[in-house]
Every structure is written in C-alpha cells, then in structure tokens.
Amino acid sequence: MGTAWTPRELRHSFVSIMSDQGVPIETIADLVGHTGTSVTEAVYRHQLRPVIIKGAHTMNTIFGDSRHG
C-alpha cells in the first residue's frame, strides 16, 4: 500500500482546510473549478474542527491531560 495521496484526497483536504480557515464557500468553489457551491459543500467540504477536538479529548482521556495533573 502506497503512502502517496491521490488527487481526490488532496482536493477534499484542500476544500476542508480552506473552509475551516473561514474562506467563503464561493471562493473555494471557484478555486477548485466548480460552477456553483452545492458540490463543494455536499461532496468536498468536511468539518475538521469537531473531529480534531473529539480526537484530542479522547487522547486526554486515554493518557491524561498533563496540564491538569
């Protein structure tokens, strides 16, 4: 199994990161070549922050939060 990212994975990551940084969806859609925002929103944009926060909370539960212990 290779470690290289496919263009599809890079596109999803690009859209998600741009969105998470507050770039307007219209701008993102234009950057990835979409004529409207519906495909950009429905297919490519994934909310990163909730996943990252949940992962951080889980790691704190498993290993303890050294800042409070």
Side-chain angles (χ1 to χ4, degrees):
M1 183 171 168
T3 58
W5 283 30
T6 66
R8 180 180 177 274
E9 292 169 322
L10 292 170
R11 188 178 183 101
H12 280 260
S13 296
F14 174 81
V15 170
S16 298
I17 291 168
M18 296 291 280
S19 177
D20 194 53
Q21 292 300 305
V23 176
I25 194 68
E26 296 82 7
T27 302
I28 299 168
D30 187 48
L31 288 170
V32 295
H34 295 157
T35 56
T37 61
S38 61
V39 171
T40 310
E41 290 181 282
V43 177
Y44 288 95
R45 182 171 65 174
H46 307 287
Q47 295 301 310
L48 299 176
R49 195 172 311 271
V51 173
I52 292 170
I53 290 171
K54 183 177 179 185
H57 286 296
T58 301
M59 294 304 286
N60 282 341
T61 300
I62 293 168
F63 295 107
D65 187 347
S66 61
R67 294 175 296 168
H68 298 103

